[in-house]
């Protein structure tokens, strides 16, 4: 009977000890690298009391004929006619009559401060944002219904209600809240334009001054990005917590090859790298957004993080910044148009320059958001007086409008502006 060589046992012990040590060190290193040491420091905003969010939530729950309202507004917004047809007026009257409770809740919300609910996670659903769009449609239909019955004062008031709703929505929210707010403002702006030339002077003055006050409450794009940073950081933190569960990893790998590869990379990437890259990118983006649009558009934009996780989850903000500046530009153009309408109703003609409306009608002529410290342009043309902004390119083309190749808007005699590289001016009545 042979006796085992003691050196073999010793070598095995050494081998197993080294393997166990290596595994232990690997587990400790993985645990350390996959533990967040850099946490987001931005404070969570405290909701006001009362919060307009609760009023709008009740309004959404009380809203009647939702689908009919959606269809009616969509049909109206796609036509060139500023007013509803006879059949549409009857339909609008029925919708307005059925929603008195919703209108009451909306009016209460407009008198309160608003703060979006703080919920985090890339899988979080926000149905209330879709409800806000329906509330803006409802207000636009009310505006059109009142205009059809000769109540221009009530019509412009309901239209501006939709604009104010859209200005409130981004408060305390993220980028998606801001985009929905812009959409609601656009709805109100269209309703206001449809009754612009029928408003008497006192009503136009009051509406212009109300818009000036609403403009002061407009959330700056940089603050919306700060909200997006807070939302994204908390959502990443939640995602990293979930990935520490082995069952979540196995589930992610099994779902699909594409997502499985993404999940595998996510499990290997250190937590601090993912969070650090995100926070650095967002901090720079917020700082960059503090610049005026002209400075922002002419300076190098922030580069996306290189790690594969942030490549997927981090949004780019170029088109969003243009949309927010358009919303501000449209509101200010509408404010000036209301002041001009007031002057015309009182004097029988439009003024020769904008100095005639300030401070007599509005406190000051608002600044053009696409120009640095410069007001909107107003000059005579072969077709009459033109009111315009210099547009995204920042160059005064003396009222020559941007003519974007957009078949849908071109058929209606209007040109939407979604490409910041296009030359021309942003002209009231054509580009908005």
């Amino acid at each position: 009977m042979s006796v085992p060589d003691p050196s073999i046992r010793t070598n095995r012990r050494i081998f197993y000890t080294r393997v166990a040590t290596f595994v232990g060190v690997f587990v400790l290193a993985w645990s350390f690298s996959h533990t967040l040491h850099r946490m987001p420091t931005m404070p969570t905003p405290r909701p006001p009391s009362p919060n307009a969010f609760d009023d709008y939530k009740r309004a959404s729950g009380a809203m009647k004929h939702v689908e009919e309202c959606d269809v009616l507004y969509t049909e109206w917004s796609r036509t060139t006619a500023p007013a509803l047809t006879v059949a549409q007026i009857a339909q609008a009257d029925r919708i307005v009559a059925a929603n008195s409770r919703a209108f009451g809740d909306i009016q209460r919300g407009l008198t309160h401060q608003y703060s979006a609910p703080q919920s985090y996670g890339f899988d979080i659903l926000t149905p209330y944002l879709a409800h806000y769009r329906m509330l803006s449609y409802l207000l636009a239909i009310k505006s059109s219904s009142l205009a059809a019955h000769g109540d221009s004062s009530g019509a412009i008031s309901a239209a501006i209600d939709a604009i104010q709703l859209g200005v409130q929505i981004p408060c305390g929210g993220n980028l998606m809240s801001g985009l929905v707010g812009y959409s609601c403002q656009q709805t109100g702006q269209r309703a206001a334009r449809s009754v612009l030339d029928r408003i008497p002077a006192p009503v136009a003055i009051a509406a212009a001054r109300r818009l000036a006050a609403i403009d002061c409450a407009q959330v700056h794009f940089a603050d919306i990005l700060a909200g997006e940073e807070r939302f994204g950081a908390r959502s990443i933190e939640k995602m990293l917590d979930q990935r520490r569960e082995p069952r979540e990893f196995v589930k992610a790998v099994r779902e699909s090859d594409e997502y499985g590869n993404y999940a595998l990379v996510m499990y290997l990437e250190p937590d601090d790298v993912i969070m650090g890259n995100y926070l650095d990118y967002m901090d720079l983006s917020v700082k960059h957004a503090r610049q005026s649009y002209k400075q922002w558009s002419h300076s190098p934009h922030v580069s996306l993080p290189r790690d594969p996780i942030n490549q997927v989850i981090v949004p780019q903000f170029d088109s969003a910044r243009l949309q927010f500046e358009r919303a501000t530009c449209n509101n200010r153009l509408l404010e000036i148009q209301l002041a001009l309408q007031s002057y015309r109703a009182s004097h029988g003609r439009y003024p020769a320059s904008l100095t005639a409306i300030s401070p007599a009608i509005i406190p000051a002529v608002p600044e053009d958001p696409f120009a640095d410290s410069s007001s909107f342009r107003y000059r005579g043309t072969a077709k009459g007086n033109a009111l315009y902004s210099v547009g995204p390119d920042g160059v005064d083309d003396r009222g020559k409008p941007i003519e974007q190749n957009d078949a849908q808007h071109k058929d209606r005699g209007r040109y939407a502006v979604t490409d910041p590289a296009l030359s021309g001016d942003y002209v009231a009545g054509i580009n908005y």
Side-chain angles (χ1 to χ4, degrees), residues 11-30:
N11 290 338
R12 285 177 178 173
R13 288 196 200 99
I14 293 173
F15 173 76
Y16 291 137
T17 301
R18 288 176 176 174
V19 169
T21 302
F22 174 80
V23 171
V25 170
F26 176 81
V27 170
L28 288 174
W30 190 91

Side-chain angles (χ1 to χ4, degrees), residues 280-300:
D280 289 342
Y281 172 78
M282 291 302 301
D283 285 343
L284 285 174
S285 295
V286 171
K287 181 180 178 181
H288 192 55
R290 294 288 176 196
Q291 303 176 95
S292 68
Y293 182 86
K294 188 174 182 179
Q295 294 171 328
W296 175 85
S297 62
H298 287 82
S299 59

